[in-house]
Amino acid sequence: MLSQKVLCCIPARIGVILMSTIMFLVYIAIIVLSFIKRDEMELWATTKQSTDTDFTKEAFNGLFYAFVSVFIVYAVVLAYGILSAFMDNHKLVRIYHILNWFFVLLVLTSTLAYWIYFKVKQTVYVNDCQEYENTKNQTTDNTYSPVAIPGKTTVAGGADKSFCIDLVNKLVIGTGVVVFVGNFIQVYIASSIGIYSTSLKRNNQHQRLHSLDDDEPEKS
């Protein structure tokens, strides 16, 4: 028998409404912040660096609107889920359960892939950071000239990369925590919706059996 409670003690229906509402507000905030910070993200992503392949504005726009579109559609699904839970309708909750799992897995796959890419390209981002730092301290000293290593990616000049290494390491750790914790929460919420959907199905079956039992004396 599956528990009809989530978060240890909250009834499944109330828990699903509460968690879906929180997730809806989180994604609305992400969408709003994405548009507010869009120009800054575009500038950061498309700034030409000698240590990495250029990221064009077209590529940035495609990636940006793809992610935002997913977030908007998922926010709509969450709003639908809140409504279906309020209505306490098994069929509607079942549809929400399926749609939610689809977007949870989509977000999990895409964010995990992006984090792995970020970690693999960690050295490149250190070099980009160092090149940016060099431009702020540009002198005639060759210390800040890019170093070309035959057969390898250009390495930004500069004797001390400790600041950039520490910064990128913190970003990798920070984004990793956000990705893993965020996805764990979403998977838990999806599982809670499944518990609620199953409890509704069980209740509907019980009501039908009870109705059949009540009708039997009349038929006899």
Side-chain angles (χ1 to χ4, degrees):
M1 295 286 290
L2 288 172
S3 171
Q4 295 186 22
K5 295 185 182 296
V6 297
L7 298 173
C8 300
C9 59
I10 301 176
R13 183 186 177 212
I14 296 175
V16 167
I17 292 173
L18 179 63
M19 290 186 287
S20 296
T21 301
I22 292 172
M23 289 302 298
F24 173 76
L25 294 175
V26 167
Y27 273 92
I28 289 296
I30 291 173
I31 293 166
V32 172
L33 284 174
S34 295
F35 281 105
I36 292 175
K37 297 292 185 179
R38 182 187 179 284
D39 291 340
E40 293 179 25
M41 291 189 292
E42 181 181 348
L43 180 63
W44 175 80
T46 58
T47 299
K48 293 185 178 181
Q49 303 282 359
S50 63
T51 57
D52 198 8
T53 304
D54 293 343
F55 197 65
T56 64
K57 289 186 177 182
E58 291 76 13
F60 171 81
N61 287 334
L63 192 62
F64 175 83
Y65 286 113
F67 270 99
V68 169
S69 297
V70 170
F71 295 154
I72 291 173
V73 175
Y74 190 28
V76 172
V77 169
L78 290 166
Y80 165 82
I82 296 167
L83 180 62
S84 65
F86 267 115
M87 295 176 65
D88 206 26
N89 184 287
H90 172 249
K91 290 183 179 179
L92 296 180
V93 172
R94 183 64 181 171
I95 294 172
Y96 174 45
H97 176 52
I98 295 170
L99 290 175
N100 185 71
W101 263 118
F102 171 79
F103 280 98
V104 166
L105 293 176
L106 179 62
V107 171
L108 187 152
T109 304
S110 57
T111 54
L112 187 59
Y114 180 80
W115 182 79
I116 292 172
Y117 174 83
F118 184 31
K119 184 166 177 59
V120 169
K121 291 285 187 176
Q122 191 169 344
T123 302
V124 173
Y125 287 110
V126 170
N127 288 330
D128 283 351
C129 169
Q130 185 64 31
E131 184 178 353
Y132 175 74
E133 288 297 309
N134 291 346
T135 59
K136 296 193 302 183
N137 304 290
Q138 201 167 22
T139 63
T140 55
D141 193 338
N142 290 332
T143 303
Y144 293 100
S145 300
V147 180
I149 302 176
K152 295 186 178 181
T153 305
T154 303
V155 179
D160 185 10
K161 288 195 177 89
S162 59
F163 169 77
C164 289
I165 291 172
D166 183 58
L167 175 63
V168 174
N169 281 336
K170 287 179 179 178
L171 286 174
V172 170
I173 294 170
T175 53
V177 170
V178 171
V179 167
F180 286 98
V181 173
N183 282 299
F184 174 80
I185 292 172
Q186 292 198 146
V187 168
Y188 178 80
I189 293 173
S191 300
S192 299
I193 296 168
I195 291 172
Y196 175 46
S197 177
T198 302
S199 68
L200 278 178
K201 181 179 179 180
R202 187 185 303 119
N203 289 337
N204 287 342
Q205 289 174 340
H206 176 73
Q207 289 175 2
R208 284 197 297 269
L209 288 173
H210 185 70
S211 297
L212 287 173
D213 290 340
D214 290 342
D215 291 341
E216 282 181 0
E218 297 178 5
K219 292 180 180 180
S220 58

